[in-house]
Amino acid sequence: MTVNEPLDQIAARLQGYDPRALPVATAQAFIAELVPVVQATEALPVREALGRVLAEDLVSPIDVPAHDNSAMDGFALRAADLADGRPTRLRVVGGALAGRAFDGVVPPGSALRITTGAVMPAGLDTVVPQELAQDGGDGFVQIPPGVVRAGDHRRLAGEDLARGKPALRAGRLLRPADLGLAASLGVPRLSVRRRLRVAFFSTGDELRSLGEPLDEGCIYDSNRYTVWGMLQRLGVEAIDLGVVRDRPDELADAFRRAAAQADAVITSGGVSVGEADHTKRIMAELGEVLFWTIAMRPGRPMAIGRIGTETTHPPAILFGLPGNPVAVMVTFYAFVRDALLRMGGALPQPLPMLRAASRERLRKKPGRTEYQRGIVERGGDGRWWVRATGSQGSGVLRSMSEANGMIVLHHGQGDVAAGDEVDVLPFDGLV
Ligand code: AMP
Ligand code: MG
């Protein structure tokens, strides 16, 4: 990717690029080429790095575990001392506890009482779990034949992580296990990329903000709440620029302010085909912007590009989403989520999908991707089943709120018969 490559050059590289009927996959490929990655990094204490993107490989400074140690409570011994086909009697010369190693010598023909995690003394190679050994109480332990093989129940030094090997790769979105992993290496701070700054606002004269009276013909702005929520989950810094009315000067001012302080700008509304308002014109004036009709439902119109041309600040990536509340969420998950993760330096990971049988027949036209809101649950037969939530209108936010996943009907797919399996994107899988 070249930074600031002209948009038509990116388009020219893509197969089947048609801005008036753009397949979802082509739009995703375009956006992946468009977005730059933030370069700045900061070193954070391990806990503060949760949800952030690791900037460089974390190379293990130590072996984990640092020593060979026991995986069980029992007796450590030499496998070579075990007799074939008959019990073996060994003298117990002492004990090793986790955190307190045995500092004597264990001569051949003897054993050591040992607890889980205790260091294996030199020469001993095998642990017999306590319940398989007969402790005589007389300073000797008897091991029945065939209860262990050489090396059993011994954890090797460096088995989890070897010194000098990458324990975590750059680009990783840090999860709870990763914090623990870093701590297990004794690493107190992690180098992460700086948080992405994302400004967002809603456009439309009919929109009112919470706390304002609802005038005749007006609606409350809900998109700023869903967008804010989706941005929070991604761990970016979300900058709310409010509702912007359909006035050229106000729109221009909002776009300029957004581009000056953010890496990405998300707007909703005003990008429909044949839209009479000023949003599209101002976008085109202030940046390099394409207006797409995407072969998808909901969420057909979308603007994409770079906005803000001041030389003091690199342009921000613009995601001009449709106005309808469901379309906003669907286009966010289909395009913006992955793009913001990339911009933040994360390695893109395909979202895990579930295969579920459809409870009902679903009508679907080939040649576009459809995202239906669904409720997926485990049937009495143990399989996953999904049904669509009531009205699928793109303005009906309730369909989204009631759903626990999206039924993804792919570009080439046609009607789905009851009982056919479909792909479902569970909302719980979305960070
Ligand atoms: P537009 O794309 O601007 O024509 O908007 C499409 C539909 O979405 C219209 O019915 C708008 O009233 C509605 N809409 C636009 N923005 C919002 C918003 N922020 N919150 C709720 N509904 C909206
Ligand atoms: Mg509008």
Side-chain angles (χ1 to χ4, degrees):
M1 183 202 71
T2 13
V3 175
N4 294 355
E5 182 183 12
L7 301 185
D8 52 0
Q9 261 181 41
I10 299 178
R13 279 205 303 276
L14 298 173
Q15 286 254 311
Y17 177 84
D18 174 0
R20 286 156 308 165
L22 195 62
V24 167
T26 313
Q28 287 166 335
F30 184 106
I31 294 170
E33 300 267 312
L34 170 73
V35 296
V37 177
V38 297
Q39 294 303 321
T41 64
E42 56 184 326
L44 292 181
V46 168
R47 285 184 185 171
E48 285 173 36
L50 182 65
R52 300 290 296 270
V53 178
L54 193 65
E56 49 203 58
D57 287 356
L58 176 64
V59 175
S60 179
I62 55 170
D63 278 332
V64 179
H67 307 276
D68 289 6
N69 67 89
S70 175
M72 300 288 281
D73 291 342
F75 295 89
L77 46 79
R78 289 177 180 79
D81 285 341
L82 296 174
D84 247 353
R86 60 191 159 78
T88 308
R89 215 168 110 84
L90 300 171
R91 176 187 291 281
V92 180
V93 296
L97 300 172
R100 218 172 316 145
F102 178 70
D103 58 6
V105 184
V106 185
S110 52
L112 198 68
R113 184 180 288 285
I114 198 161
T115 63
T116 307
V119 173
M120 292 284 285
L124 305 191
D125 53 26
T126 303
V127 173
V128 179
Q130 158 177 300
E131 57 275 20
L132 298 179
Q134 290 143 17
D135 186 356
D138 56 353
F140 286 87
V141 62
Q142 181 155 306
I143 316 291
V147 294
V148 282
R149 288 161 308 171
D152 275 0
H153 310 300
R154 177 184 50 159
R155 301 179 188 141
L156 298 175
E159 175 177 286
D160 290 354
L161 293 165
R163 180 208 302 244
K165 290 265 164 57
L168 292 172
R169 293 285 186 183
R172 178 149 183 112
L173 202 59
L174 294 164
R175 298 186 304 199
D178 304 325
L179 304 193
L181 193 67
S184 76
L185 303 179
V187 172
R189 295 172 96 73
L190 291 169
S191 167
V192 299
R193 292 203 192 248
R194 81 152 163 80
R195 239 145 66 100
L196 206 63
R197 287 189 282 272
V198 183
F200 62 103
F201 58 90
S202 297
T203 69
D205 282 343
E206 75 281 28
L207 302 178
R208 292 292 175 273
S209 293
L210 293 185
E212 290 177 2
L214 202 56
D215 302 319
E216 175 81 27
C218 290
I219 56 171
Y220 282 117
D221 170 14
S222 58
N223 290 342
R224 261 164 58 236
Y225 291 82
T226 44
V227 168
W228 181 87
M230 294 186 290
L231 291 175
Q232 291 303 307
R233 290 288 182 90
L234 287 181
V236 303
E237 188 186 325
I239 305 164
D240 184 351
L241 297 181
V243 171
V244 178
R245 282 175 301 171
D246 187 25
R247 308 225 173 112
D249 51 338
E250 289 184 26
L251 282 163
D253 181 56
F255 278 117
R256 285 208 187 89
R257 278 197 299 139
Q261 57 186 312
D263 304 295
V265 178
I266 300 174
T267 64
S268 66
V271 294
S272 308
V273 183
E275 186 81 38
D277 68 18
H278 300 287
T279 311
K280 286 169 84 171
R281 182 169 58 81
I282 302 294
M283 283 178 176
E285 272 175 28
L286 295 182
E288 193 192 1
V289 180
L290 300 174
F291 297 95
W292 285 343
T293 301
I294 302 176
M296 70 187 289
R297 211 165 103 143
R300 278 160 42 90
M302 187 170 143
I304 186 83
R306 304 187 183 97
I307 196 114
T309 44
E310 287 86 7
T311 45
T312 49
H313 190 276
I317 299 297
L318 170 70
F319 300 94
L321 305 184
N324 273 311
V326 178
V328 166
M329 295 197 74
V330 169
T331 48
F332 187 97
Y333 287 134
F335 305 111
V336 183
R337 179 185 176 278
D338 191 79
L340 295 182
L341 288 172
R342 280 175 195 274
M343 290 180 78
L347 296 176
Q349 303 259 351
L351 286 167
M353 297 246 208
L354 209 67
R355 291 291 282 173
S358 179
R359 291 248 184 237
E360 62 222 335
R361 177 182 146 82
L362 301 172
R363 294 174 62 83
K364 160 72 171 59
K365 258 203 221 150
R368 66 185 187 201
T369 309
E370 287 192 18
Y371 299 85
Q372 300 207 3
R373 278 69 70 206
I375 296 174
V376 63
E377 53 206 356
R378 183 102 60 186
D381 56 0
R383 297 168 66 199
W384 290 107
W385 286 84
V386 68
R387 66 192 152 87
T389 56
S391 163
Q392 294 287 316
S394 71
V396 186
L397 201 48
R398 215 182 86 193
S399 71
M400 199 78 185
S401 175
E402 282 174 1
N404 63 1
M406 273 190 296
I407 305 169
V408 183
L409 302 173
H410 299 282
H411 191 85
Q413 216 170 334
D415 287 347
V416 173
D420 279 1
E421 286 204 336
V422 289
D423 273 340
V424 177
L425 183 64
F427 288 150
D428 283 345
L430 292 167
V431 293

